[in-house]
């Protein structure tokens, strides 16, 4: 979710410029090939290690090096600017994908047969966010934002899963009245403001927000007001020192029963379970409004698989991508990471996310709003200031001004 400098700022890139640069190492003996898989899913490294080991056993002549550094988007953009491009790139279906696709970093997969097995909604999301009709990566994993809740605490207090915003606030009030903390907020890490804001904004910004954006009309100052006000309201139901606690500590605290609910994406589930394997968890759709029939679950492409146009070993890189997409391997990834597959027919069977399944089956899904906010705006920093300063007008004015400033540079 984090945003960094624009690729445009480091110079115009093209396939002709990139051809022959970067990629995996040349074979010293002619047989062994080394390729690099660079991705942003640090919490998934253990699972990917297992899959790499399995792939290398089946393909002893190919070595796969996994890279997943902190601040992956910043690192990747810097490497691209130096023409040091990994063979396979796994990022989200967001502005980073858009910048890379528009810069010619990826191999075009529009006609690739692998796309035929991908949920069409996720393919369309890549087109929408990039503004391109061509597709330059395979959507592999989808995530979702909901409200993670402690089933034991809900049972203890006799609480039911809320369907509307008013019910949601009522639940928070009841938890507070019982002497417990409704939400555990981790505002020390600015990006952790985004999951809740995305859910609120996507359900309140209006259906024409993106079409107006495509016309050059930025409506953030007007349309994000309700989301900002509601995020601020939720911040009032947190614990002390919300600005002093980060994501990792938040996962542990919630796992230890320090709050009834946690406003995070499903990517946090493995870390919570790791901290407390016995915890009973559930995830319900974020009730952003009082119209439950219109509530949409925020689900975006969490991990794409893109082969670099500059890779020295494109066949080996593609072979690894195809391996990851095999049903058994794709199923292993989503099972261990509590994610949803972008591949049709591969289902998430963990009862933890049962409450989200109806939305996936009915197609009541929408993409992350921050995927469409351009690099350089950094809404997470502005949201972090919002929950500290509690000034909605200041937040809206700054976000609008930052967005317009970046837009004017294009």
């Amino acid at each position: 979710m984090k945003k960094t400098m624009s690729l445009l700022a480091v110079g115009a890139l093209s396939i002709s410029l990139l051809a022959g640069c970067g990629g995996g190492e040349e074979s010293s003996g002619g047989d062994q090939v080394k390729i690099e898989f660079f991705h942003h899913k640090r919490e998934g490294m253990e699972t990917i290690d297992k899959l790499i080991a399995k792939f290398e056993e089946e393909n002893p002549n190919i070595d796969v090096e996994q890279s997943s550094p902190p601040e992956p988007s910043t690192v990747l953009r810097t490497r691209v600017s130096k023409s040091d491009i990994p063979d396979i790139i796994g990022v989200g279906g967001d502005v980073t994908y858009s910048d890379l696709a528009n810069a010619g970093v990826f191999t075009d997969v529009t006609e690739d047969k692998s796309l035929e097995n991908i949920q069409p909604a996720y393919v369309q999301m890549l087109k929408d966010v990039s503004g391109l009709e061509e597709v330059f990566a395979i959507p592999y994993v989808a995530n979702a934002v909901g409200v993670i809740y402690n089933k034991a605490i809900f049972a203890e207090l006799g609480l039911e899963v809320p369907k509307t915003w008013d019910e949601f606030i009522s639940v928070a009030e009841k938890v507070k009245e019982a002497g417990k903390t409704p939400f555990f907020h981790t505002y020390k890490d600015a990006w952790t403001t985004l999951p809740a804001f995305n859910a609120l904004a996507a359900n309140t910004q209006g259906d024409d927000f993106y079409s107006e954006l495509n016309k050059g009309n930025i409506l953030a100052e007007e349309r994000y007001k309700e989301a900002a006000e509601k995020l601020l309201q939720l911040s009032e139901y947190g614990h002390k020192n919300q600005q002093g606690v980060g994501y990792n500590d938040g996962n542990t605290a919630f796992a230890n029963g320090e709050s009834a609910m946690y406003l995070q994406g499903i990517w946090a589930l493995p870390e919570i379970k790791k901290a407390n394997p016995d915890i009973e968890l559930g995830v319900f759709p974020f009730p952003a409004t009082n119209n439950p029939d219109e509530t949409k679950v925020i689900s975006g492409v969490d991990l794409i698989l893109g082969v670099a146009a500059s890779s020295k070993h494109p066949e080996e890189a593609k072979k690894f991508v195809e391996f990851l997409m095999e049903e058994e391997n794709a199923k292993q990834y989503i099972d261990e990471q509590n994610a949803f597959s972008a591949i049709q027919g591969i289902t998430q069977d963990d009862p933890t996310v049962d409450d989200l399944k109806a939305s996936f089956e009915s197609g009541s899904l929408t993409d992350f709003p921050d995927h469409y906010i351009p690099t350089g705006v950094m809404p997470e920093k502005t949201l972090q200031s919002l929950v500290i300063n509690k000034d909605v007008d200041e937040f809206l004015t700054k976000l609008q001004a930052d967005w317009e400033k970046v837009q004017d540079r294009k």
Side-chain angles (χ1 to χ4, degrees), residues 83 87 107 114 117 159 202 224 265 279 306 329 333 342:
S83 296
D87 300 276
T107 300
S114 297
N117 297 323
L159 302 172
Y224 280 170
I279 190 170
N329 302 323
Y333 185 95

Side-chain angles (χ1 to χ4, degrees), residues 37 39 41 44-53 66 333:
F37 177 33
H39 65 88
K41 298 299 296 177
M45 291 182 74
E46 187 176 336
T47 296
I48 293 171
D49 269 337
K50 296 176 192 174
L51 292 170
I52 288 174
Q66 176 182 196
Y333 185 95

Side-chain angles (χ1 to χ4, degrees), residues 1 52 65 70 119 129 133 136 161 167-168 173-174 178 180 205 220 244 268 280 314 347 367 391 401 408:
M1 294 180 183
I52 288 174
E65 176 185 339
Q119 294 280 3
V129 77
E133 274 305 309
F136 290 91
V161 169
E167 291 174 359
F168 192 28
E173 284 286 354
K174 290 175 181 176
K180 298 181 182 293
Q205 66 190 7
E280 283 188 86
T347 58
D367 202 358
D391 190 329
D408 287 344

Side-chain angles (χ1 to χ4, degrees), residues 121-139:
Y122 295 122
V123 177
Q124 188 61 46
M125 284 179 188
L126 293 190
K127 293 181 179 181
D128 290 343
V129 77
S130 68
L132 302 169
E133 274 305 309
E134 298 81 14
V135 182
F136 290 91
I138 308 292

Side-chain angles (χ1 to χ4, degrees), residues 130-344:
S130 68
L132 302 169
E133 274 305 309
E134 298 81 14
V135 182
F136 290 91
I138 308 292
Y140 184 53
V141 177
N143 58 20
V145 167
V147 179
I148 305 173
Y149 70 105
N150 186 316
K151 289 187 173 182
I153 292 177
F154 266 54
E156 176 191 344
L157 301 181
L159 302 172
E160 294 185 2
V161 169
K163 305 292 186 185
T164 69
W165 174 257
D166 288 346
E167 291 174 359
F168 192 28
I169 296 301
S170 177
V171 165
E173 284 286 354
K174 290 175 181 176
V175 173
K176 187 176 179 180
E177 288 169 5
K180 298 181 182 293
T181 302
F183 304 106
F184 202 94
H185 299 306
T186 53
Y187 297 147
K188 181 179 180 180
D189 290 330
W191 73 267
T192 65
T193 58
L194 286 168
F197 182 77
N198 275 319
L200 290 164
N203 281 286
T204 60
Q205 66 190 7
D207 293 337
D208 64 341
F209 188 91
Y210 299 130
S211 61
E212 287 296 313
L213 186 61
N214 289 335
K215 297 174 187 175
N217 299 323
I218 302 166
L219 304 178
E221 190 167 11
E222 172 191 344
R223 301 288 185 85
Y224 280 170
K225 184 174 183 180
E226 183 176 347
E229 289 174 342
K230 287 182 172 178
L231 182 72
L232 203 53
Q233 189 173 356
L234 294 176
S235 73
E236 300 299 322
Y237 291 95
H239 54 97
K240 293 180 180 179
N241 193 29
Q242 296 176 139
Q243 284 74 36
V245 182
Y247 173 67
N248 292 331
D249 289 335
N251 291 338
T252 302
F254 179 73
N256 291 333
E258 293 187 33
S259 73
M261 294 172 283
Y262 194 38
L263 304 177
Q264 262 298 346
I266 59 174
W267 53 81
L269 295 174
E271 297 304 309
I272 295 168
K273 291 177 179 179
K274 192 183 298 181
N276 181 3
D278 297 324
I279 190 170
E280 283 188 86
L281 293 175
V283 187
F284 59 81
F286 205 115
T289 73
N290 284 321
N291 299 311
D293 293 338
E294 297 177 8
T295 296
K296 291 185 177 181
V297 168
I298 311 307
S299 176
V301 181
D302 193 37
L303 183 64
I304 56 104
L305 300 174
V307 175
S310 62
S311 174
K312 295 176 183 176
H313 305 293
E315 293 305 312
E316 289 83 358
K318 185 176 180 182
K319 191 169 189 178
F320 182 62
V321 170
E322 291 173 346
F323 166 84
L324 291 177
M325 293 184 65
E326 291 174 11
E327 182 174 352
E328 179 182 328
N329 302 323
K331 181 69 172 168
Q332 179 180 343
Y333 185 95
I334 66 165
D335 284 351
E336 293 188 13
Q337 295 301 310
N338 286 107
F340 288 88
S341 181
I343 303 170
Q344 297 185 89

